[in-house]
Amino acid sequence: MPEVGKTISHYKILKKLGEGGMGVVYKAEDTKLKRDVALKFLPPELTGDLDARSRFVREAQTASALDHPNIGAIHEIDESDDGRTFICMALYDGETLKQKIERGPLGVDETVSIAMQVVSGLQKAHDAGIVHRDIKPGNIIVTRDGTVKIVDFGLAKLSTAAQTVSEKGRPGTAAYMSPEQIQNGVVDARSDLFSLGVVLYEMLTGTRPFGGEHEAALFYSIIYNEPAPPRSIRSGIPEVLEEIVMQLLQKNPAKRPQTAIELFTSLKELSAGPVGAKALPKIAGVSRFISRRNLAIASVITLLAATILLNPFGWRSAVYTIFGIGVPAEKRVVVLPFTCIGCDQKETAMSDGLMETMTSALTEFQPSKGSLWVVASSEVRGNDIRSPREARRVFGANLVVTGSMQHEENGLRLTLNLVDPRTSRQLRSQLFDESSANISRLQDRIVDAVTELLDIKLEPQSLNIVRAGATDKSSAYELYLEGRGYMQRYETMKNLDVATSLFRKAFEVDPGYALAYAGLGEAYWKMFENDMDPHWVDSAIAYCAKAAQLNDRLVPVRITLGIIYAGTGQNEKAVSQFEDAIRLDPVNGYAYSELGKAYSHLGDTVRAEAAFRKAVSISPTYWGFHSELGRYYITIGRMHDAVREYRKVVELTPDNHLGYNNLGALYFYLNQWDSALAVFEKSIALQPNYHGYSNLGTLLYYKGDLAGAAQAYEKALKLDDKNCTVWANLAAAYLEMGQRDNSANAYRMAVKKAEAVLDHSPQNAELTWQIAAYCLALGDSGKARKYLSKSLSLAPNNVVLLGHIAMSYEELGERGEALELLAIAFRKGYSPTEVENAPEMKNLRADKRYQQLLKGLKK
């Protein structure tokens, strides 16, 4: 990249200004004309990318043809001596609209002024037949005198060119895309106007109209969900302006303003006449909100993710033994990814599929003696477990299976090893070869061999379950294994497309191959999770049902169908599928665990607890089921029962730092602070970690060690600065220490981080409450009320959250609402510890109505 002080052509590089995915920008001096300019270069990693280079040149050509005061000026495009293409642009003294919004919502007058200038620039582009396709706050510059400049025409396209998107990925920025951009439909000027509607909404409210936990959920929201009206989020917005924004956000382009001129006219009429209060509420100074109370402990509960799901299908196969070192009767197994020796892409996919299907087979083993549980391959890959020692530390494994596969001229060679993760000693091993013509035999051979390797004797029913749905055609089996391998990296649609093609080819070779249909069904479900297009759901259900029709003994298919139904809100159907799985396999702990979740969603607490407890009874040494049961107890307010389960998690995985964090959080809520301190320190001693420092900081905060708390929070933020709660906790510590400016800055960072996450996870009730708390800290009571109401509607039965919301209402001066919510929370098992220890709750505690509530608890 260019060096500061170096001269390129007649431009002297002064400093780097910033960079993004498609360019690195420098401030430079034009030595000929004696003016400062901005030089934009392609990033080094894209210099050889012909598509990126073409887009880069197109940006210069497109923008330079648009001479308009609201479009960033392009002076020239040139090339450095070493062949690096660069664009010379006007340098503006100002900031991006994104930077302005990050400081808070804009006033109505300023919003309308910026919008009119953007529309004016877009009108020029649209009249020239150019669609920008990436209108967003980051591509809008506001100069110091208030002039707006649209920049970055790198994605622009002539409206007379091909009307469908066929480039790599979807051009544009996800949160600001129109539905037609996402669905690869016709993109014209109205798509830019939709994106501008998103920008207007964000300027007025400080939030985006659409959100989701990941990109697929975000896309689903843009295509199918209706945004909340801006006036429901922030007061003071004129009704007519809200109508303009909501019209811009119409899903159907025909229902939006059809031209920039039409939109400009509406905005001009709005700016000219009296429209009511235009000034939005401003952020006030920081109050003494939350010094030692619920905001600080928002980050304490860091629940261990225990979503070990049965990897739905997969090859019913296993591992082997040759020499007789004994293995324990109680088997806690992790299968690590296999090594593929000298493999090409296809062979590597087969190796990955072999590891996944072997794991799936092991999850279905039900030995006649002893006990066995197996960690799903998705959890192994998700936690990036690569060694036996890591498997022992994170999952509490006492046996680890490793393997290697090597393709030879007439078949393949498979080596499998059983390892003691405590010593890394190899206990047993097996090597065998299989000819290409007989590869379909691998399934049965491995099932037999793994039982020998692990000293397992399977009941006939288990053997039938494990071997169900297989094929005797080797080519079909190879295609299936390869498809399962591509499914391991389901985050990209390309891999899923390859997997679906392979599964289809597999059942074309063998029309009765039930597992191939099941694999295709699961692939379609993953596609839905990736892009949230509902038509994938019907395909997923149809192919899983076809697999069940071909072979009614496929327990994983029933579980996957249940997961699909639960994932689409059809919990009654989910219960039916999980119960079918249990009838086929009465000792399948995963089926019971999923059944517990479905019953919980239906509000059937008796059956939910029974199902979770049944999973634990089936595999009492599997920490994952104890963790799931503990999480369930927390949601219904049974904290002491939750402690029992998390103690068991720590007992079973004594080197897992996350388990100690969870247990410490529960001790904290039960006012057992010395115990909490010990386990938090244990967590950090095992592995210095973000959650450990954060939780330790909260505990020290409540104990009055403010300097120690601030230090712990600062250490946490050095490890990860994205979490809003740690910023808020640090703000609270600063406030108690008298550092008001530092506190205000930290609270603003907390709001910024939290709202960014909420954009992608709008159903997150706890995060919604936290934003309300931060807004109270900054004196924005109107915004706080909005978020409190939303949080309560999202999780009316979460007892811990009820207590937090109640105390927030007390801070708002609405004691009646606070007492009413506390009464509900106490009845559901919420501990009064937080209320009793929070200085801000002093007046509430003196209220006779509160004292009556406490008396009721003692009866």
Side-chain angles (χ1 to χ4, degrees), residues 1 16 19-24 26 41-53 84 168:
M1 295 304 294
K16 181 178 177 180
E19 62 183 295
M22 282 299 296
V24 184
Y26 294 85
F41 292 81
L42 269 176
E45 65 271 17
L46 293 180
T47 53
D49 188 322
L50 294 179
D51 288 338
R53 185 180 179 88
R84 300 280 312 287
K168 295 179 180 178

Side-chain angles (χ1 to χ4, degrees), residues 14-197:
L14 300 179
K15 68 176 181 177
K16 181 178 177 180
L17 295 176
E19 62 183 295
M22 282 299 296
V24 184
V25 181
Y26 294 85
K27 180 180 179 180
E29 179 190 358
D30 183 338
T31 58
K32 287 185 177 180
L33 298 177
K34 299 302 179 182
R35 63 180 177 180
D36 288 340
V37 296
L39 300 186
K40 181 177 180 179
F41 292 81
L42 269 176
E45 65 271 17
L46 293 180
T47 53
D49 188 322
L50 294 179
D51 288 338
R53 185 180 179 88
S54 175
R55 170 183 158 183
F56 193 72
V57 172
R58 184 169 71 241
E59 175 183 356
Q61 294 170 338
T62 302
S64 64
L66 299 172
D67 183 12
H68 190 275
N70 296 123
I71 294 177
I74 300 291
H75 297 319
E76 69 170 335
I77 184 169
D78 203 348
E79 195 170 275
S80 64
D81 293 339
D82 60 357
R84 300 280 312 287
T85 302
F86 66 88
I87 300 171
C88 177
M89 306 177 292
L91 181 66
Y92 298 109
D93 184 14
E95 61 182 342
T96 66
L97 181 56
K98 178 182 178 184
Q99 291 170 316
K100 289 181 71 68
I101 294 173
E102 285 174 349
R103 294 197 297 272
L106 280 59
V108 170
D109 288 339
E110 186 177 16
T111 296
V112 173
S113 172
I114 291 172
M116 290 178 65
Q117 293 182 71
V118 174
V119 172
S120 182
L122 285 177
Q123 179 185 337
K124 177 69 175 181
H126 294 167
D127 287 348
I130 295 168
V131 182
H132 189 284
R133 301 199 303 172
D134 196 19
I135 293 297
K136 61 181 180 180
N139 285 339
I140 298 169
I141 294 175
V142 183
T143 67
R144 288 189 181 276
D145 65 2
T147 302
V148 169
K149 303 287 183 178
I150 305 172
V151 297
D152 198 350
F153 277 79
L155 291 178
K157 195 167 189 174
L158 290 174
S159 58
T160 55
Q163 291 294 295
T164 57
V165 176
S166 58
E167 296 155 305
K168 295 179 180 178
R170 299 175 178 85
T173 302
Y176 301 91
M177 284 185 185
S178 66
E180 58 268 26
Q181 277 179 286
I182 294 169
Q183 295 174 307
N184 290 348
V186 174
V187 175
D188 57 23
R190 296 170 298 180
S191 184
D192 280 348
L193 298 185
F194 180 95
S195 301
L196 179 57

Side-chain angles (χ1 to χ4, degrees), residues 790-846:
K790 181 181 178 183
S791 178
L792 186 59
S793 68
L794 288 171
N797 296 315
N798 185 321
V799 297
V800 174
L801 196 55
L802 280 174
H804 292 172
I805 295 171
M807 287 190 281
S808 293
Y809 274 114
E810 169 67 13
E811 288 290 322
L812 278 169
E814 299 180 13
R815 182 165 299 167
E817 183 73 15
L819 289 167
E820 182 178 340
L821 291 173
L822 282 176
I824 297 170
F826 289 155
R827 284 199 301 271
K828 291 178 177 288
Y830 178 62
S831 169
T833 299
E834 294 179 83
V835 181
E836 291 296 297
N837 284 284
E840 290 82 1
M841 297 297 110
K842 179 181 178 181
N843 292 334
L844 174 68
R845 292 193 297 270

Side-chain angles (χ1 to χ4, degrees), residues 238-400:
E239 184 176 358
V240 64
L241 181 55
E242 179 181 79
E243 291 174 357
I244 290 173
V245 174
M246 297 302 284
Q247 187 179 12
L248 287 168
L249 296 178
Q250 288 291 313
K251 313 295 185 187
N252 185 348
K255 295 183 178 180
R256 299 173 203 151
Q258 297 300 287
T259 65
I261 296 175
E262 180 183 337
L263 175 59
F264 185 87
T265 300
S266 298
L267 291 170
K268 187 174 183 180
E269 290 175 356
L270 174 65
S271 66
V275 294
K278 294 183 180 179
L280 297 179
K282 301 295 183 181
I283 293 178
V286 178
S287 70
R288 285 185 49 80
F289 173 68
I290 309 182
S291 57
R292 298 191 194 174
R293 47 160 280 204
N294 45 344
L295 178 58
I297 64 165
S299 63
V300 171
I301 283 286
T302 304
L303 292 175
L304 183 66
T307 53
I308 304 293
L309 303 180
L310 180 62
N311 223 341
F313 314 113
W315 167 50
R316 311 303 191 256
S317 50
V319 234
Y320 326 77
T321 173
I322 52 174
F323 55 86
I325 298 177
V327 298
E330 180 184 65
K331 301 167 180 65
R332 307 189 295 273
V333 181
V334 167
V335 181
L336 295 181
F338 288 176
T339 300
C340 197
I341 302 171
C343 293
D344 59 21
Q345 186 175 12
K346 174 182 177 180
E347 292 163 347
T348 299
M350 285 185 63
S351 175
D352 291 341
L354 186 65
M355 175 263 189
E356 191 274 334
T357 54
M358 176 184 294
T359 304
S360 181
L362 283 168
T363 62
E364 296 178 50
F365 277 21
Q366 295 301 332
S368 57
K369 295 181 179 179
S371 64
L372 168 72
W373 56 256
V374 184
V375 176
S377 59
S378 59
E379 289 296 317
V380 175
R381 290 187 182 277
N383 286 277
D384 197 27
I385 305 300
R386 299 181 180 274
S387 72
R389 289 188 182 275
E390 288 178 329
R392 178 176 180 267
R393 179 178 64 82
V394 175
F395 296 123
N398 65 353
L399 292 171
V400 172

Side-chain angles (χ1 to χ4, degrees), residues 627-647:
S627 187
E628 288 287 2
L629 179 56
R631 288 167 67 89
Y632 174 69
Y633 281 142
I634 289 171
T635 64
I636 62 174
R638 290 167 57 178
M639 298 299 184
H640 288 284
D641 289 328
V643 165
R644 181 187 67 241
E645 298 307 319
Y646 278 103
R647 280 177 178 164

